[in-house]
Amino acid sequence: MAHNINYNSETGKYSFFSVKEKAWHGLGQIVEKYPTSSEAIRHAGLDYEVVKSSLYTKASGIIQTSGGIEIGSTELAVPDCFATIRTDSNAVLGVVGKDYQIVQNREAFSFFDAIVGGGDGILYETAGALGQGERIFITAKLPDYIRVGNGDDVTEKYIFLTTSHDGSGSITAAFTPIRIVCQNTLNASLRSMSNVVRIRHTSGAKQRLDDAHKVMGLADRLSSQLEGIFNEWSKVKVTDIEVKKLIQLALCPNTETLALIKKGAEDEVSTVFKNTVEDAFAYAMASESQQMDTTKGTLFGAYNGVTGYYQNVRKYKDNEAKLQSIVMGGTAQGKAQKAFELCTAFQADGAEILNLN
């Protein structure tokens, strides 16, 4: 499978760095200590600039001249269209409009530094570029943890950022708690709060990027609320039947399947759905991380049965597909949010929410 990590022929290195852990497909630079933002940019090969350049095309045909008729071509400017170009390699990264504003890689790292009021508390863990450098991504660990139960079940707090230089998408930053015992990404939002911030590449984007850390300050509130909720869920006992029903409802792909589940006609649902539920249920019951006091036979364990399935069991086409599914608003994130809502309702209303009574 293609890894799509940018290879810089000038330096002979892949544009990726990781702290201690191996990079995708064994490529990139592994460093032993958490770097500063300037070091991370250099390690990841992101120390390049991007510029906008006017776009031209050629019109060919018959041209009337003083000497007669000639066959030739004329260079024409394409109105309101520009190419984004990487200045160190002259690679054309994309085509954008006149209002598109470039956010340089160093400015993306400045966003992280601003979150904690300087670089002292931020821990850059991975960063890299894809394709010819048209898309970059950064993950950084925040200080402090989410602790569930007696403190043995610990979740680290991360912020993930990705941006493009080809006009294909917004600058996106996401708060991503990761449960250490199973590397399980817990993407949960609370009511109107979101764990994702998106900023368009238009005029004022730099200013909004500077201000985004104020919005991402919600991550502190979110993690505080999640800690309280997860601790409550770790005290709520659930039966194996209830766990499986929660998983069924959370992973339900459509209204037709939901109707079959509600009337107890599980035998009529698709084989693919049945297998998905069985795999997630097996993880919820048998995974080592599901045998802790906080997860075994608890509502928190049921929730982790869904999120852990997507993180640790489900197969993906490649790492990018997994990243999109789990972190960037894809299928896994949607199912995790559904599981969060179901568990919240179960805590309030008990098994009635599952139509078991």
Side-chain angles (χ1 to χ4, degrees):
M1 286 179 255
H3 52 75
N4 203 29
I5 299 174
N6 172 250
Y7 177 73
N8 189 328
S9 58
E10 296 294 320
T11 63
K13 294 181 178 180
Y14 284 91
S15 299
F16 185 95
F17 99 89
S18 177
V19 176
K20 296 181 181 179
E21 298 293 330
K22 286 185 178 180
W24 298 346
H25 293 260
L27 306 176
Q29 289 58 249
I30 301 173
V31 300
E32 291 300 316
K33 297 180 179 179
Y34 287 102
T36 63
S37 58
S38 59
E39 290 170 341
I41 289 171
R42 188 172 66 256
H43 289 321
L46 299 180
D47 48 351
Y48 58 87
E49 297 280 321
V50 178
V51 297
K52 281 169 63 175
S53 178
S54 298
L55 206 59
Y56 294 88
T57 189
K58 287 188 176 181
S60 60
I62 299 174
I63 303 171
Q64 183 71 46
T65 68
S66 57
I69 296 176
E70 296 180 2
I71 304 296
S73 61
T74 304
E75 192 174 71
L76 302 174
V78 181
D80 298 332
C81 289
F82 299 83
T84 51
I85 299 175
R86 180 173 167 170
T87 58
D88 63 338
S89 64
N90 285 328
V92 176
L93 304 180
V95 176
V96 299
K98 62 182 178 64
D99 294 328
Y100 182 89
Q101 184 166 344
I102 293 168
V103 174
Q104 302 293 350
N105 297 341
R106 65 176 182 277
E107 294 167 335
F109 280 85
S110 295
F111 159 78
F112 278 110
D113 286 340
I115 290 173
V116 291
D120 294 337
I122 204 80
L123 299 173
Y124 292 101
E125 196 150 286
T126 65
L130 302 177
Q132 296 189 84
E134 64 269 19
R135 177 167 291 278
I136 73 163
F137 58 92
I138 312 163
T139 60
K141 189 188 299 186
L142 294 175
D144 205 4
Y145 303 90
I146 296 172
R147 299 181 184 275
V148 182
N150 60 12
D152 292 334
D153 200 339
V154 177
T155 297
E156 293 180 322
K157 301 189 292 186
Y158 285 82
I159 291 180
F160 172 87
L161 181 141
T162 183
T163 186
S164 64
H165 297 301
D166 60 0
S168 63
S170 304
I171 306 155
T172 303
F175 170 65
T176 306
I178 297 179
R179 187 166 171 248
I180 295 173
V181 290
C182 59
Q183 291 300 295
N184 177 19
T185 302
L186 306 172
N187 278 306
S189 301
L190 298 179
R191 301 180 182 88
S192 62
M193 292 174 63
S194 173
N195 63 333
V196 177
V197 175
R198 292 184 175 88
I199 306 163
R200 295 178 61 193
H201 281 269
T202 54
S203 58
K206 291 180 183 177
Q207 183 60 51
R208 285 197 297 277
L209 194 60
D210 290 340
D211 292 341
H213 71 279
K214 299 175 184 176
V215 180
M216 290 302 290
L218 290 174
D220 286 336
R221 286 178 53 200
L222 181 60
S223 60
S224 176
Q225 290 186 49
L226 285 177
E227 183 171 273
I229 289 171
F230 291 158
N231 272 285
E232 287 299 316
W233 287 0
S234 71
K235 301 170 187 173
V236 178
K237 297 299 181 181
V238 294
T239 66
D240 292 354
I241 294 174
E242 290 167 345
V243 171
K244 189 166 187 178
K245 186 64 72 171
L246 274 165
I247 290 172
Q248 279 184 322
L249 294 174
L251 301 185
C252 187
N254 50 52
T255 54
E256 291 80 7
T257 302
L258 180 61
L260 291 172
I261 292 171
K262 285 189 173 182
K263 73 176 186 179
E266 281 90 347
D267 290 343
E268 299 178 36
V269 303
S270 73
T271 301
V272 171
F273 177 65
K274 286 180 186 176
N275 291 339
T276 299
V277 170
E278 288 300 327
D279 288 345
F281 182 63
Y283 174 85
M285 293 293 101
S287 170
E288 183 178 351
S289 62
Q290 292 292 101
Q291 307 308 310
M292 303 176 69
D293 291 340
T294 54
T295 51
K296 188 174 179 60
T298 72
L299 191 59
F300 184 53
Y303 175 65
N304 277 283
V306 174
T307 58
Y309 163 75
Y310 282 102
Q311 179 73 26
N312 305 305
V313 179
R314 188 178 177 91
K315 303 299 183 185
Y316 295 89
K317 180 178 69 175
D318 52 36
N319 284 295
E320 290 177 62
K322 184 175 183 179
L323 183 69
Q324 178 64 39
S325 180
I326 294 172
V327 179
M328 304 310 298
T331 301
Q333 195 168 24
K335 300 303 184 185
Q337 184 58 34
K338 181 62 177 176
F340 186 87
E341 293 167 359
L342 284 167
C343 289
T344 300
F346 186 95
Q347 183 185 16
D349 301 325
E352 290 182 6
I353 194 66
L354 307 179
N355 290 328
L356 292 176
N357 290 343

